[in-house]
C-alpha cells in the first residue's frame, strides 16, 4: 500500500522534526530484533503495520511554498492526503491567507490548523470556511503524539475513501 502524503506548512524547523518523529518514527534496534524473531517464528504477516510505512511527510516553511508544493503534487498525479498548517508564519502569508489559496488549488484537501495562538478566532475561521468540504480541523500546540497520529490516520483514511 502506498504511503499517504502529508504536507507540514510551518515556519518553525523544530515543528517539522516533531511531525516527522511522530508520523515517520525510525524503528528502534530492539523492535527490529523483535520483528526478525517474530518473522522467524510465525512468518511474515500482512496484518502487521510498520508505523514508518504509513506516511510520507513533506515540509514547507512558508504558505506560498506550501501552495506551490500542493500544485506540483497535483500536477505530478501524486497529491497530498492531508496538510497541517500553522496559523502564524512571518514574514509571509499567515494560515488564513494560505488556507484561502489552498482551497482554490485543492479544495478537497483536508487541512488541520495548528498553533499555540492565533490572530483569528476559531469562530471567525469557521465563518469564512464553514461551507468547506472537508471541514477544517484544529490541533493546538503543544500537541500530544498520540493525538497527532490518530488525527493523521483518521483524516488520511477519509481522504482515501472520498477522493477529489
Amino acid at each position: 500500500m502506498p504511503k499517504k502524503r502529508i504536507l507540514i506548512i510551518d515556519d518553525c524547523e523544530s515543528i517539522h522534526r516533531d511531525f516527522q518523529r511522530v508520523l515517520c518514527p525510525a524503528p528502534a534496534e530492539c523492535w527490529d530484533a523483535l520483528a526478525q524473531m517474530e518473522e522467524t517464528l510465525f512468518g511474515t504477516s500482512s496484518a502487521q503495520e510498520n508505523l514508518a510505512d504509513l506516511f510520507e511527510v513533506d515540509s514547507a516553511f512558508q504558505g506560498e511554498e506550501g501552495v506551490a508544493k500542493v500544485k506540483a503534487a497535483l500536477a505530478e498525479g501524486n497529491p497530498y492526503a492531508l496538510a497541517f498548517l500553522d496559523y502564524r508564519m512571518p514574514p509571509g502569508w499567515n494560515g488564513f491567507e494560505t488556507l484561502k489559496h489552498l482551497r482554490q488549488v485543492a479544495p478537497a484537501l483536508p487541512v488541520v490548523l495548528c498553533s499555540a495562538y492565533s490572530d483569528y478566532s476559531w469562530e471567525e475561521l469557521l465563518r469564512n470556511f464553514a461551507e468547506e468540504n472537508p471541514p477544517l480541523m484544529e490541533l493546538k500546540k503543544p500537541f500530544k503524539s498520540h493525538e497527532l497520529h490518530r488525527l493523521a490516520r483518521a483524516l488520511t483514511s477519509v481522504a482515501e475513501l472520498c477522493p477529489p
Side-chain angles (χ1 to χ4, degrees), residues 80-81 107-110 133-135 154-164:
Y80 291 102
L109 177 66
N133 192 16
L155 291 176
T156 57
S157 295
V158 167
E160 199 173 74
L161 294 173
C162 307

Side-chain angles (χ1 to χ4, degrees), residues 3 19-26 51-53 55-57 149:
K3 291 182 180 186
F19 274 95
Q20 187 74 34
R21 180 183 48 79
V22 172
L23 297 176
C24 303
L51 295 179
D53 291 336
F55 303 114
E56 174 186 329
V57 176
H149 201 269

